[in-house]
Amino acid sequence: MNALAKLDAHLESRLKDLSKAKERGQKIIGYSAGGFLPEELILACGAIPLCFIQAGDNTVLRNSGAYICRWFDPFWRSQAGYLTSGKDPYYSIVDLIVVPITDNHVRAFSNTVGFYTPGIKSFVFGVPHVKDKVALEYYLKGIVRLKKMLEDFTGVEITESRLKQSIELCNRERELFRKISRMRKRRNVSVSGRDFVALNHGSFLADKETMVDILEQFIKEVSDDSPVFGDAPRILYTGSTLARGDSKVMDIVSDNGGIIVMEEFAEGIRPYWDSVKVGGDLLAGLAETYFMDRICPGWFRPGTERLDFLIRLAREYNASGLIWYQLLYRESYKVESYFFSGILKKQTGLPMLVLESDYDAVETEPMKTRIETFMETIRG
Amino acid sequence: MGNYYDELFSLCGFEHEEIEKERSRIEASFEKLGIGPDDMETADSRVRRHHDVSLEGVRKLLGAWLKELIDLVLAREEGKKIVYFGFPAILGPGLMLRASSEEVFVSAPDMVLNHTMGQIFNKLDPLLEAGEANGLPPGHALCSLWQAKIGGIAKGMIPVPDLALASSYYCDMGSKADDLVTALYGVPIAYIDGIMDSKWGEYPEYLPERVHYLGARINQAFEKAEKVLGIEIASDAWERSRKNSQPFRDNLAKLTEVMKADPVPVSLVELELLEALSGSSTGSGIQEGIKAMDILIHELEKRVEAGVGVTEKGAPRVMVRLGHTSDPRVTRLFEEAGLAVPLTYILASRGGVKVKSGENYGTAGEIIAEYEMEGGYYHGTEGQIRLYERAAELMKLDGFIAQYLYNCRPVATISHIQKKYLEEKTGLPVLSLEIDNFDSRAYSAASMRTKVETFALMLKAKKGR
């Protein structure tokens, strides 16, 4: 069985495995997307982390309409829909929901959790929107409170050695993702964007050690393979959120002979560029990596770090075009898209296509037309 | 010698001598704004139709907005160092900057444009369209206040500021639109960041680190302002700014008392006019507003004594979030349906419902941050809704019109929760209304009237009227 098939099989039985773990007394901790929750803390107290990253189904948005108005990003409305409808079994299995609050879309979801599902235990902590020492201290205080709450909730003390062990495990996972991702710098690419995203998405739900094994196997498999995407247009794919279940753009790019060589998303793609230091104050190390080192999402102020990073990625990954995929009503990305295309053009000469989604099936055909045209433009 | 605008300015509370004194400034600003003789009929008609100009205080309030507009438009030519902030805003930093130097002009230009180019001259649409064409397109539920601001800058009506104070403690859109202004015009930004990360059920408590963090950001904004503007924040700036603005707050509190009367003595349209001033101006607008309110409150007390009001005695009393900032037609509709509006959110938060005094902090930033945290608005969704709850008893309300602004995410978060919460906690009916409170281009009077009138009928039936 190849690595991806192994991942599929693992995820297929994952809910049953989780139920069994729950019966054994293990706690399951769900957390919302965004990459600001250090899974290490959950693992270190013997609990199981699960990130809620499912979306793309328009019917769930209709469910959310009873709890939140439609003027929010469809990913976060989807989360409200899944939370309240029971349509995502992962929401039903968790013992606790943790919400790191970033922007107002996430805050709206956190309100839904707190107000409409008071029976579900929840915990929130805030993520500042600027990066500096003061902000780092605030973030660190948030994860210190999280640690204490997890210890109380699970009854397991997060010792130095347990935390170090879980950091090493998560570092290994990040290192493997980096390795796979960097393989795509080569002219002849053997890793498709869809496979990379499937692995990354899988990592939010899979058992951590199993996931590390799968990633190691995947690297061996692709190292043996010959290149499969020689002359395909190379797409740098970016946006706020790439949910599990939202593969429309990736599918259309692939159907048109293109290859996504890099995904830069704030939600739905696990940040993997940096490892956590295992020496010194471990909590401070977590805060450093998860908050300071990590490339900031578009709702940080200013958003220039991310925009500069995109330029760097475009160059390093030899991109031939950038697809900017924003979700409807996520204003930070909408506003940035207006001025970034000019910056990208000026600094790299690359074209940029802006696509917007409300997870609606009617978007597919216009999206196809636009992507097809974009690919033809790239091919010249 | 008189001019075509004299009658309008008289109507808006300007004394003859004031018009003479300001004539060159009025004309210079009108030239930039594209206002001419042809606009006077519309302006005169709108002011008379929508505002209670029999009240001198109302006329003076309109004048206060016009004075703020002229100051705004001419700020660059008059050598001011210009600072913009967004609405709604934690006003303390702006007031302190203003109190530190006569050379600094600090304002929320979008609100000024709404209340003048919108309410008085009915000429806001071209600004909104210019905003849409310059980075804030329609169809994405983007903030129409920001469209007016960007549009005003793009059309050269208002100056490019020297510094932006970004309301990063509340609004994602505002901070990102400030980034847009930087991208387009190179304006430096002081991000006043805060994190609304309160858990449901936490209000009125809050983590002390929230005050420390927001306070540190405000203090950093002062440092940046000193550097960018070349000014020094005076050591007594906080005390002076409080002293300058305290009369306004005191008047809001007095007004809240007056509005407890039945019938309510003044329209929501005028309440909006005065309360918005307190969140938009740090200079002449607010100072003129204080004088106008002194007059207005006196006039309203007389009305209360005489039993005169804008709706019938015994009319159902509802709290609304706020009136429309650019189009009084929308605001008028509540009273036309027979509803008395004694209280708005701003009035309740600034003048009505008292907040507890907390521990003392050492820096101006932290003092401001603590004050705002206790007020509830910047605490989180629950803090906002709980203010409505407390207002029910204070103003003997019969219901709520709980508007939520679809294109303002921090407000839209309360869309469904506020109705369920308030109905459960107060037992009063709640009409939830989705609106754009700053742009009436998509306003449908028929649609809104159907909702409001039905709600009013239900409240009247409940009161046995």
Side-chain angles (χ1 to χ4, degrees), chain A residues 66-86:
Chain A
Y67 304 94
I68 187 170
C69 65
R70 64 165 295 198
W71 309 101
F72 286 90
D73 169 321
F75 176 79
W76 290 101
R77 278 185 285 140
S78 298
Q79 300 316 305
Y82 284 126
L83 169 77
T84 51
S85 70

Side-chain angles (χ1 to χ4, degrees), chain B residues 215-285:
Chain B
R217 293 292 171 216
I218 293 171
N219 291 332
Q220 283 179 351
F222 290 144
E223 287 167 21
K224 181 142 190 175
E226 285 184 325
K227 202 172 160 190
V228 171
L229 304 174
I231 62 165
E232 193 176 330
I233 305 293
S235 57
D236 63 345
W238 171 242
E239 287 75 22
R240 279 166 54 199
S241 68
R242 292 285 296 176
K243 202 175 159 193
N244 289 343
S245 58
Q246 190 59 43
F248 206 106
R249 274 191 296 278
D250 292 344
N251 275 344
L252 286 174
K254 279 186 206 163
L255 190 67
T256 310
E257 287 301 312
V258 173
M259 293 304 284
K260 286 179 180 170
D262 179 21
V264 293
V266 74
S267 166
L268 170 63
V269 175
E270 322 307 354
L271 288 186
E272 193 285 322
L273 210 54
L274 63 91
E275 66 189 17
L277 202 53
S278 70
S280 312
S281 163
T282 63
S284 64

Side-chain angles (χ1 to χ4, degrees), chain A residues 111 129 132 298 301 336 356, chain B residues 140 168 172 176 193 217 381:
Chain A
N111 287 335
H129 311 98
D132 62 11
R301 296 116 199 202
E336 281 194 344
E356 193 159 50
Chain B
H140 299 270
S168 184
D172 302 301
K176 202 43 72 175
D193 193 39
R217 293 292 171 216
T381 306

Side-chain angles (χ1 to χ4, degrees), chain B residues 64-330:
Chain B
W65 280 108
L66 283 172
K67 285 172 184 169
E68 185 74 15
L69 175 71
I70 295 165
D71 288 351
L72 165 67
V73 172
L74 300 180
R76 179 65 64 211
E77 283 79 354
E78 294 177 346
K80 299 288 185 189
K81 292 163 179 174
I82 303 164
V83 182
Y84 288 165
F85 59 86
F87 181 89
I90 292 176
L91 211 57
L95 287 167
M96 281 182 64
L97 292 182
R98 180 68 184 81
S100 295
S101 169
E102 285 294 316
E103 298 304 309
V104 179
F105 174 81
V106 191
S107 179
D110 35 16
M111 286 293 277
V112 180
L113 292 169
N114 266 235
H115 284 85
T116 51
M117 295 301 278
Q119 284 218 22
I120 297 175
F121 296 105
N122 197 24
K123 294 187 83 165
L124 193 67
D125 289 1
L127 278 80
L128 293 164
E129 286 160 13
E132 289 170 347
N134 284 276
L136 305 178
H140 299 270
L142 299 175
C143 175
S144 37
L145 274 179
W146 263 99
Q147 287 170 333
K149 189 193 284 191
I150 298 268
I153 295 173
K155 288 176 84 69
M157 290 180 174
I158 60 172
V160 175
D162 296 299
L163 176 70
L165 296 178
S167 50
S168 184
Y169 43 83
Y170 184 66
C171 174
D172 302 301
M173 166 85 212
S175 303
K176 202 43 72 175
D178 273 315
D179 282 355
L180 173 65
V181 177
T182 299
L184 297 176
Y185 303 102
V187 175
I189 306 172
Y191 298 96
I192 303 182
D193 193 39
I195 305 111
M196 293 172 84
D197 59 355
S198 46
K199 183 175 160 54
W200 195 271
E202 189 178 333
Y203 183 81
E205 302 304 321
Y206 51 85
L207 296 168
E209 53 254 44
R210 286 187 71 185
V211 171
H212 292 306
Y213 182 75
L214 180 57
R217 293 292 171 216
I218 293 171
N219 291 332
Q220 283 179 351
F222 290 144
E223 287 167 21
K224 181 142 190 175
E226 285 184 325
K227 202 172 160 190
V228 171
L229 304 174
I231 62 165
E232 193 176 330
I233 305 293
S235 57
D236 63 345
W238 171 242
E239 287 75 22
R240 279 166 54 199
S241 68
R242 292 285 296 176
K243 202 175 159 193
N244 289 343
S245 58
Q246 190 59 43
F248 206 106
R249 274 191 296 278
D250 292 344
N251 275 344
L252 286 174
K254 279 186 206 163
L255 190 67
T256 310
E257 287 301 312
V258 173
M259 293 304 284
K260 286 179 180 170
D262 179 21
V264 293
V266 74
S267 166
L268 170 63
V269 175
E270 322 307 354
L271 288 186
E272 193 285 322
L273 210 54
L274 63 91
E275 66 189 17
L277 202 53
S278 70
S280 312
S281 163
T282 63
S284 64
I286 202 162
Q287 294 311 317
E288 294 297 321
I290 290 168
K291 292 180 206 163
M293 281 174 76
D294 287 341
I295 297 168
L296 182 64
I297 288 167
H298 185 61
E299 290 178 318
L300 297 184
E301 283 168 346
K302 280 188 177 170
R303 279 190 171 184
V304 171
E305 277 171 30
V308 174
V310 292
T311 48
E312 284 180 19
K313 187 173 172 61
R317 296 162 70 85
V318 296
M319 176 179 173
V320 303
R321 187 176 193 90
L322 73 169
H324 201 284
T325 59
S326 68
D327 193 341
R329 286 178 310 154
V330 185

Side-chain angles (χ1 to χ4, degrees), chain A residues 1-21:
Chain A
M1 195 187 283
N2 72 22
L4 285 164
K6 210 173 187 175
L7 177 62
D8 286 345
H10 175 66
L11 294 179
E12 209 169 297
S13 64
R14 185 64 175 147
L15 280 163
K16 277 185 193 164
D17 297 341
L18 289 170
S19 296
K20 283 179 194 162

